Amino acid sequence: MTKAELLRSRAERLAVAPSTDAVQSLELMVFSVGAALYAVPLGIVRGVLTEAVTPVPGVQAWVAGFINVRGEIKSVIDAAVVFERTASLTASSCVLLLETRHGVVGWLLSALPQVQRANRADLQTPLSGLAGVTGVLLGTIALLDIDKLLESLS
C-alpha cells in the first residue's frame, strides 16, 4: 500500500459520521454551590486549579480576586456570591478555569467539580428566570451559559 493510499484510507475512516450516542450525549463539568448543582459544557473548561486566590479590595462582591495562571493574571468570580450564597473562599477552594468571549475566567468553587455525561434528550427548559441558565438536566442540574451569566453581572 502506498503512502497516498494509506492516508486516503485513514481519512475515510476518520470521516465517518459520529454515532448517534455521541451526538445525543453532553459532556459536562458539574459543580455544587451550596446544595444546588450547576454544569458547564466540558468544551469550555481550561483547567482546575487549587492554588490560592489573591483577594482584591474595592471590587464587586462577586469578584473573589485574581490568580496567576502560567504567568497570566486571571479574574476569579466567586460562584457562591453569584448564586446568592455565602462567599466560598476556604482552604479547600478550587478554581475552575472557563473559556469565555472575554478570555479565560476563573470560578471559585468550594469543592472539586466532577465530569459527568448526560443525554441531550434529558435537557429540559428551566423554570426560573435566572440569567445564564439554559436548561435543566435530570431535574437537578442547571446548565449554564457562562457568557450570558457574565453579562448579567455587569
Side-chain angles (χ1 to χ4, degrees):
M1 182 178 270
T2 69
K3 195 179 223 182
E5 291 171 329
L6 178 64
L7 291 174
R8 187 176 309 111
S9 171
R10 180 182 290 164
E12 288 171 357
R13 278 193 315 242
L14 293 173
V16 173
S19 70
T20 56
D21 289 344
V23 172
Q24 294 301 320
S25 70
L26 295 168
E27 288 187 323
L28 306 168
M29 184 66 81
V30 178
F31 55 92
S32 62
V33 178
L37 293 174
Y38 298 92
V40 293
L42 194 57
I44 69 167
V45 175
R46 297 296 170 253
V48 178
L49 303 174
T50 56
E51 283 110 34
V53 173
T54 304
V56 178
V59 294
Q60 298 287 345
W62 44 266
V63 176
F66 298 98
I67 192 165
N68 185 334
V69 180
R70 295 177 286 285
E72 293 184 26
I73 304 301
K74 303 294 179 188
S75 299
V76 178
I77 295 169
D78 192 331
V81 175
V82 169
F83 297 114
E84 299 176 358
R85 309 275 194 250
T86 58
S88 58
L89 187 55
T90 65
S92 62
S93 297
C94 69
V95 176
L96 179 63
L97 296 174
L98 301 175
E99 184 71 40
T100 71
R101 254 183 285 205
H102 306 289
V104 175
V105 174
W107 281 81
L108 183 65
L109 306 174
S110 59
L112 287 172
Q114 302 289 320
V115 175
Q116 185 173 336
R117 181 170 282 168
N119 190 333
R120 197 175 295 273
D122 293 334
L123 186 61
Q124 300 170 346
T125 304
L127 297 177
S128 75
L130 183 63
V133 175
T134 61
V136 177
L137 289 161
L138 308 173
T140 59
I141 303 172
L143 182 60
L144 300 175
D145 180 327
I146 293 299
D147 288 319
K148 286 182 181 176
L149 190 55
L150 288 175
E151 288 172 9
S152 74
L153 294 176
S154 30

